[in-house]
Amino acid sequence: MNKVVKFGGSSLSCAEQFEKVGHIIGLDKDRRYVVPSAPGKRDSKDRKVTDLLYETYELAVNKEDFSGVFAEIESRYNDIIKGLKLGVSLKDEFATIRKNLKNGIGSDYVASRGEYLNGILLADYLGYAFVDAAEVIFFDKDGNFDSEKTYKVMREKLEGIERAVIPGFYGSMPDGTIKTFSRGGSDITGSIVARSVKADVYENWTDVSGFFVADPRIITDPENIEMITYSELRELSYMGASVLHEDAIFPVRREGIPINIRNTNKPEDNGSWIVQSTGQKSRFVITGIAGKKGFCSVNIEKDKMNSEVGFGRKVLQAFEDNNISFEHMPSGIDTMTIIVHQDEFIEKEQRVVSEINRLTHPDNIDIESDLALIAVVGRGMRSSKGTSGRIFSALAHANVNVKMIDQGSSELNIIIGVKNEDFENAIRAIYNIFVVAQL
Ligand code: ADP
Ligand code: ASP
Ligand code: MG
C-alpha cells in the first residue's frame, strides 16, 4: 500500500500541530508521501503565513518597509523549530527570500515560500527526503498545469525515494520561475502526487471530520457525508464548499484513487470518502448544499425570442467579446437570463449591455446585482420525485424569495438564486427540510 497524505494549514500551524501530524504519519507506514501547506491560523484571530507573505510582497512592490511582517513570518517558523527542537535552521532561506523581495521577485514566488519552508521543517521532523515542488510540478508557457511532464518527472523522481515531503501549492514555469495554483491549491498538489505514484488512497487532513452536508459556519454541527462521488464533490466545492479545492479531484479521478478527508485533531474519526461511483445510497435525498454570494443576473426580454434562430448565440457573443464567462443560463419562451460573477461583470456592464442591444435588439434588459447562488447536490435526486418542489416550499416558508432555479441536465444538482441577504436563511431552510426533518 502507498498513501499520499496532505496536511492543511491549521494542521501545521505550530509545533503542537506538527506533533499530531508526526503521530498520524507514524501510525501507518504506508503514509509515504506527505504534502504540507504553509502554517495556517493557530486561532480564529491569527493570520495565515500565506496572507503574511502576500502582504510582504505588496509592501516590497510599493517600496515600503516589510521587515515587521517578515519578522512575524520568521518567528512562526522559528517557534516551530524551537518547539520541536529541530536541528535545522532557516536563516539562509530567510535571507534569500528577503533579498529576492527587495529585487522585485513575483508574488507567486513569495506566496509559495510558505509551503516551501514548512516542507523543509516537516521533512526534517519526520526524517523524510525533501523534494522541492519546483522540480516536479510544471506549468506550460501559458501558465496551465503541464500534466504530462509533471506526472512523468514526478513518477521518475519519487520511484527512487521511499518517503518524501513535497510542499503544496506551487510548481515552476518553463523559464524556472515559480508559479502557484489558486488559493487552497495544496489540495491539488496532493492529488497530483497521488496520481503520479498511483497511490491507493489520497488522505486530505484538515480541521474538520470530513465533508459536511452544509458549511459548518452556517449550520451548527452539520451532518457528515460518509461517501460522496467526485462529481457531487466537484459541484459542491465549485460552489463554495471550501474544504477541498474544486480542481483537486481531476488528477485522482482518472486513476480512480479515492480521497479520504480526515481531521488532524480527531484522527479516530473516519472522515469522508470521495469516490468515483458508489452503489451506496446517501443518507438523505440530497448529498450536500453549498453556495456563494456575489452574482449578477442579466435578464433579456424579447417577444418570440424562442423562434429567432441564433438569438442565444448573439447574447453570449456579447459576453464573450468582453471576456466574461457565465455561470448559468436559465431561459423561458421570451426571456433569457445570464448569471455572471458580479466583480467580473460590473466594470464592463455598459459595454455588454450596448453590445446585446446592438446584436439582438431586445425589448428590455434588466440587471439585478447582489445575488447568491446555492447548489443543492445529490445523486439521490435522480430517483426521487418532487425535490425542487420541496425546495420551493421550504424557501417560501422561510420567507425567501427565489430569483432563479436551474436544474442541471445530469439531475445531480439544482441551482437556486436568492438575494445575498437571504443566503444563510435559504441554506438553513433547505438543510432543515432535507436533513433535520429526516433524522
Ligand atoms: P485546510 O487549511 O486544511 O486546507 P480549509 O480551511 O481549506 O482547510 O478547509 C476546511 C474548512 O472548510 C473547514 O474548517 C470549514 O470551515 C470549511 N467548510 C466549508 N464548507 C464545508 C463543508 N461542507 N464541510 C466541511 N467543511 C467545510
Ligand atoms: N497556503 C495556500 C493558501 O493559503 C495554499 C493552501 O493552503 O492550500 O491558499
Ligand atoms: Mg484548504
Side-chain angles (χ1 to χ4, degrees):
M1 286 274 270
N2 171 9
K3 295 180 180 174
V4 170
V5 287
K6 179 253 168 181
F7 289 88
S10 54
S11 302
L12 290 166
S13 60
C14 59
E16 204 186 340
Q17 291 298 93
F18 264 69
E19 281 169 354
K20 290 184 194 170
V21 167
H23 175 72
I24 289 166
I25 292 173
L27 286 175
D28 185 346
K29 63 176 185 5
D30 297 328
R31 295 183 172 132
R32 288 174 45 200
Y33 299 107
V34 185
V35 176
S37 284
K41 296 181 182 188
R42 289 161 294 185
D43 56 59
S44 59
K45 284 183 221 81
D46 200 14
R47 296 181 66 195
K48 289 174 148 199
V49 164
T50 310
D51 293 329
L52 296 172
L53 285 163
Y54 279 119
E55 195 180 325
T56 56
Y57 168 78
E58 286 303 323
L59 290 167
V61 161
N62 295 317
K63 302 267 179 273
E64 287 176 51
D65 177 23
F66 59 78
S67 58
V69 193
F70 201 82
E72 226 178 293
I73 297 168
E74 284 179 305
S75 78
R76 293 291 304 264
Y77 291 102
N78 288 335
D79 283 354
I80 296 171
I81 293 175
K82 222 163 98 200
L84 300 173
K85 301 191 176 66
L86 299 181
V88 63
S89 160
L90 294 178
K91 222 166 141 228
D92 294 346
E93 297 288 351
F94 292 141
T96 308
I97 299 167
R98 221 182 286 116
K99 190 175 91 219
N100 286 333
L101 269 164
K102 287 209 173 102
N103 292 341
I105 200 148
S107 68
D108 280 19
Y109 163 85
V110 179
S112 75
R113 297 304 86 184
E115 347 300 277
Y116 171 78
L117 297 173
N118 228 19
I120 294 176
L121 297 194
L122 187 60
D124 190 72
Y125 179 56
L126 297 173
Y128 279 29
F130 174 77
V131 175
D132 187 353
E135 290 168 21
V136 285
I137 293 194
F138 303 102
F139 296 90
D140 66 18
K141 62 179 187 348
D142 300 320
N144 297 314
F145 170 58
D146 185 342
S147 56
E148 225 170 283
K149 183 172 173 194
T150 298
Y151 296 136
K152 183 173 179 296
V153 174
M154 193 179 302
R155 189 180 316 118
E156 284 169 5
K157 176 93 185 171
L158 295 182
E159 247 167 20
I161 306 180
E162 178 72 13
R163 296 174 184 278
V165 171
I166 307 105
F169 194 37
Y170 72 96
S172 59
M173 294 288 287
D175 66 0
T177 54
I178 298 290
K179 182 175 164 52
T180 64
F181 294 107
S182 57
R183 293 301 303 264
S186 299
D187 291 333
I188 308 176
T189 307
S191 185
I192 292 168
V193 176
R195 159 88 174 257
S196 301
V197 302
K198 293 201 181 351
D200 295 285
V201 53
Y202 167 26
E203 290 179 350
N204 188 292
W205 291 81
T206 181
D207 59 355
V208 281
S209 290
F211 216 97
F212 299 140
V213 175
D215 191 328
R217 289 162 297 189
I218 300 175
I219 305 286
T220 324
D221 212 4
E223 290 294 312
N224 188 32
I225 303 172
E226 280 160 30
M227 202 172 267
I228 176 171
T229 65
Y230 294 138
S231 313
E232 289 173 310
L233 179 106
R234 169 123 173 96
E235 300 276 355
L236 289 169
S237 54
Y238 183 73
M239 282 300 284
S242 56
V243 61
L244 195 75
H245 191 291
E246 71 212 45
D247 292 338
I249 57 163
F250 292 120
V252 289
R253 184 178 205 158
R254 282 295 272 301
E255 295 286 332
I257 300 166
I259 307 173
N260 187 199
I261 310 271
R262 299 284 290 268
N263 190 345
T264 303
N265 305 314
K266 285 190 183 170
E268 63 283 5
D269 288 355
N270 293 330
S272 299
W273 283 93
I274 303 159
V275 297
Q276 189 130 48
S277 71
T278 171
Q280 193 175 315
K281 287 213 173 65
S282 54
R283 278 163 73 206
F284 312 102
V285 171
I286 61 163
T287 303
I289 314 161
K292 275 192 203 164
K293 292 180 179 175
F295 294 91
C296 262
S297 70
V298 183
N299 306 301
I300 302 140
E301 281 173 42
K302 186 175 185 184
D303 283 349
K304 304 204 186 111
M305 173 190 290
N306 246 18
S307 50
E308 192 177 322
V309 175
F311 188 91
R313 181 184 53 74
K314 289 177 201 157
V315 169
L316 294 181
Q317 181 80 50
F319 287 89
E320 185 177 342
D321 289 349
N322 287 286
N323 203 18
I324 295 173
S325 60
F326 72 95
E327 288 296 303
H328 292 280
M329 191 179 57
S331 63
I333 309 173
D334 299 327
T335 62
M336 179 170 171
T337 302
I338 313 286
I339 310 270
V340 287
H341 282 276
Q342 191 156 325
D343 52 1
E344 254 177 61
F345 176 69
I346 221 78
E347 59 187 33
K348 300 176 179 166
E349 171 191 271
Q350 292 312 315
R351 264 186 279 157
V352 177
V353 169
S354 69
E355 195 170 342
I356 297 175
N357 272 317
R358 187 171 58 75
L359 292 172
T360 67
H361 308 291
D363 297 331
N364 188 34
I365 299 180
D366 180 40
I367 297 175
E368 183 164 5
S369 53
D370 299 326
L371 294 178
L373 293 183
I374 296 169
V376 181
V377 176
R379 56 190 186 277
M381 297 195 310
R382 282 188 194 130
S383 51
S384 148
K385 294 196 184 73
T387 309
S388 26
R390 287 172 74 191
I391 295 174
F392 263 129
S393 80
L395 292 176
H397 269 102
N399 239 337
V400 172
N401 186 9
V402 177
K403 296 277 170 187
M404 176 209 94
I405 187 155
D406 191 9
Q407 176 154 26
S409 48
S410 61
E411 284 185 73
L412 194 66
N413 68 352
I414 295 175
I415 306 286
I416 302 135
V418 300
K419 290 296 286 180
N420 272 350
E421 66 247 32
D422 287 332
F423 179 67
E424 284 84 6
N425 262 346
I427 291 199
R428 281 186 210 108
I430 298 168
Y431 184 82
N432 285 342
I433 187 94
F434 288 106
V435 180
V436 178
Q438 308 298 316
L439 286 173

